[in-house]
Amino acid sequence: MKFVHKKEMQKNIPVLTLDENQDRESLRDSANRLGYALREDCQFDVDAFAEGVFGGPAGEAAEFFTECLLQGAYRFGREALKLCCRGNVYALRDRLAAVPDVTVCLVSKEEIEEATAKGEALGRCRNYARMLGDLPSNYLTADDFCLYAEQLVRDRPSLSLEIYRDRELTEMGCGGILAVNQASGTPAALLHLRYGGKGKGPVTALVGKGVMFDSGGMHLKSMGDMEGMKYDMCGGADVLCLLEYAADISCAFPLEGVIPLAENAVGDRSLRMGDVITMLSGRTVEVYNTDAEGRLLLGDGLFFAAERGDRLIDLGTLTCSCREALGDETTGFFCNEEALAGMVEKAATGIGESVWRLPLGERYKRQLFWTKTADMANYMPDKKAGASVAACFLEEFTKGKPWAHFDMVGPAVSRRENGRLQIGATGTMFAAVAKLLEM
């Protein structure tokens, strides 16, 4: 898909239109639908959209429309999957994250090229993250993810990458990551990315859950619950591609990216109910539920990030409780600081992504401290308020830093045809976090 800027409307080229009187969330939905159905060259009147519908400058309107159109246009390139082998996912990614080969004329009398390029970069990087989520797990192990990250960073001098595998993780004491992965035949990993930024400011550390496949471990999932568990690494994919986006647009502020990778497999070395593990922070955790593994990865990842960042943002497909509460179109978020919470809500509302703040607090946190064998447990016998209890577990590893947690089990995956997004990974919260990084 190619975007070109024109000053005047062109003759004999179909015109895309969006209805008036819509909020940003509805506008995103409508633009997604245009992208989903797009099959031929077209044009779009940015100035009319900016003034009559979007309610903002032409540049911002062009950026918004471009990234929304790309989100709807994405299709997983299953034909390209036939060419995939070890180490070449990065080389094939534009065929795997396919969009129609069409030209979209963005018509405006204003100078919108820079804003359009920014929206195109956001849409493209989000689609790469979706592609990683859509890949079958046997095509994207932790080894493959690490190779992809190495190749990505090699092309971007403003990014640096360190990868810690089993030996280094053992030396560091990352007991949460290692415990989840101990039945897997592929070594665990912790990816640490850095982006220096072109200016000075607080360092934001992004942490993404990277469970490459979640069987549930000893608490084995049913067939229905195990369906789609290749998507349990969408948070990690988002963080990797958000760092790519930051580098591509020369983001002003410095960033850290932390991505713990593991596979929650079943075998004779599986983590068992009642086992006690020692996290990177030094705290011990009794494993009451082996299917509550994501918080063990994120706990180590957050503590690692808290030693390097001024504020923390984590993304994960964490709890079914959050999906049961909010459904498949709204992401739950938790935050320990009012100023940061306000920024999250402003960023999400402005970009048209649906979020709802859920509570933290002692009434939930105390449910973690019932164990007699460890400092805390990873689950509570009473399953109520599961999303809040899980978030309180994560908060224990933030070292008191300002922190926002996105629990996105529902919206991270489109589960049925809807005329808006292809079935599969959606890239939810990617745009909102990208906007947050600029605030």
Side-chain angles (χ1 to χ4, degrees):
M1 186 178 292
K2 182 181 178 182
F3 294 89
V4 297
H5 176 209
K6 299 288 185 181
K7 296 289 187 179
E8 303 287 344
M9 297 294 286
Q10 309 296 296
K11 294 181 179 180
N12 302 320
I13 298 178
V15 178
L16 301 179
T17 59
L18 289 172
D19 295 334
E20 299 183 12
N21 302 320
Q22 298 186 73
D23 59 20
R24 293 290 169 86
E25 187 178 339
S26 298
L27 285 176
R28 173 172 294 278
D29 184 276
S30 296
N32 287 164
R33 291 179 184 278
L34 290 177
Y36 188 87
L38 194 59
R39 294 294 182 271
E40 59 182 348
D41 294 351
C42 58
Q43 58 185 329
F44 181 73
D45 190 335
V46 173
D47 291 343
F49 173 64
E51 183 177 351
V53 181
F54 185 76
E60 291 182 13
E63 178 186 345
F64 176 85
F65 179 76
T66 300
E67 63 97 348
C68 291
L69 199 72
L70 280 165
Q71 186 179 25
Y74 165 88
R75 299 291 188 276
F76 180 73
R78 63 183 183 185
E79 289 302 311
L81 184 65
K82 298 174 182 178
L83 304 175
C84 268
C85 58
R86 180 70 188 280
N88 74 344
V89 172
Y90 184 79
L92 289 170
R93 67 185 192 150
D94 285 314
R95 296 176 64 180
L96 290 164
V99 293
D101 184 16
V102 299
T103 297
V104 181
C105 294
L106 299 177
V107 182
S108 174
K109 290 182 169 51
E110 306 293 330
E111 298 302 320
I112 61 170
E113 287 87 350
E114 184 176 347
T116 300
K118 187 177 176 184
E120 188 174 358
L122 194 155
R124 173 173 44 80
C125 290
R126 177 175 51 212
N127 285 351
Y128 290 149
R130 296 167 70 188
M131 174 273 295
L132 291 172
D134 284 335
L135 279 170
S137 295
N138 59 322
Y139 284 80
L140 191 72
T141 65
D143 288 344
D144 299 312
F145 195 106
C146 290
L147 280 170
Y148 183 99
E150 288 172 338
Q151 292 163 343
L152 186 155
V153 169
R154 195 175 300 138
D155 290 342
R156 288 163 180 79
S158 60
L159 292 178
S160 65
L161 171 67
E162 296 173 290
I163 300 178
Y164 306 97
R165 303 307 296 264
D166 276 2
R167 182 177 62 81
E168 295 90 350
L169 294 173
T170 300
E171 292 172 354
M172 292 162 61
C174 293
I177 299 171
L178 291 167
V180 173
N181 196 68
Q182 64 191 35
S184 173
T186 304
L190 178 67
L191 281 64
H192 177 207
L193 297 107
R194 288 177 177 166
Y195 169 74
K198 61 182 181 181
K200 294 184 178 180
V203 177
T204 300
L206 304 175
V207 184
K209 176 186 172 184
V211 176
M212 307 310 293
F213 189 85
D214 180 17
S215 70
M218 285 288 195
H219 289 111
L220 189 67
K221 295 178 183 290
S222 67
M223 179 179 288
D225 289 340
M226 204 181 297
E227 183 180 7
M229 282 301 106
K230 68 178 184 178
Y231 294 109
D232 217 12
M233 40 62 67
C234 283
D238 286 346
V239 167
L240 178 63
C241 296
L242 279 162
L243 267 290
E244 177 182 1
Y245 169 71
D248 286 354
I249 67 163
S250 299
C251 180
F253 302 116
L255 303 173
E256 305 264 338
V258 179
I259 309 170
L261 303 178
E263 178 190 7
N264 192 17
V266 182
D268 58 1
R269 299 189 66 246
S270 289
L271 191 63
R272 297 160 299 190
M273 185 178 185
D275 284 356
V276 173
I277 62 175
T278 303
M279 304 286 287
L280 176 60
S281 68
R283 302 189 74 177
T284 56
V285 174
E286 179 183 342
V287 178
Y288 185 78
N289 184 351
T290 65
D291 197 20
E293 84 298 330
R295 65 200 70 183
L296 301 178
L297 261 69
L298 286 174
D300 276 352
L302 281 166
F303 191 81
F304 183 94
E307 296 181 325
R308 294 160 175 82
D310 299 309
R311 65 175 183 177
L312 312 176
I313 299 169
D314 80 74
L315 301 98
T317 48
L318 201 65
T319 70
C320 289
S321 297
C322 198
R323 183 187 178 197
E324 290 171 2
L326 300 179
D328 286 340
E329 297 186 18
T330 298
T331 297
F333 88 96
F334 300 81
C335 192
N336 64 353
E337 183 191 77
E338 293 306 311
L340 180 56
M343 293 165 67
V344 169
E345 291 176 332
K346 182 178 179 181
T349 301
I351 209 68
E353 296 205 285
S354 178
V355 298
W356 193 264
R357 189 179 182 186
L358 294 169
L360 298 163
E362 288 300 323
R363 64 175 60 86
Y364 306 113
K365 187 176 295 186
R366 60 175 173 252
Q367 296 189 53
L368 298 167
F369 300 111
W370 55 265
T371 171
K372 293 185 172 69
T373 58
D375 294 326
M376 57 194 300
N378 79 325
Y379 204 74
M380 65 296 186
D382 183 347
K383 298 180 180 180
K384 297 175 182 177
S388 288
V389 174
C392 286
F393 181 93
L394 297 183
E395 188 181 13
E396 292 294 299
F397 301 94
T398 61
K399 300 184 72 170
K401 297 287 181 71
W403 157 74
H405 158 58
F406 293 98
D407 190 338
M408 53 190 200
V409 167
V413 180
S414 178
R415 295 168 174 83
R416 61 186 64 86
E417 291 290 348
N418 57 20
R420 174 177 170 250
L421 300 176
Q422 185 186 48
I423 291 174
T426 64
T428 190
M429 289 298 104
F430 196 99
V433 174
K435 185 63 66 175
L436 182 62
L437 296 179
E438 300 175 7
M439 299 171 68

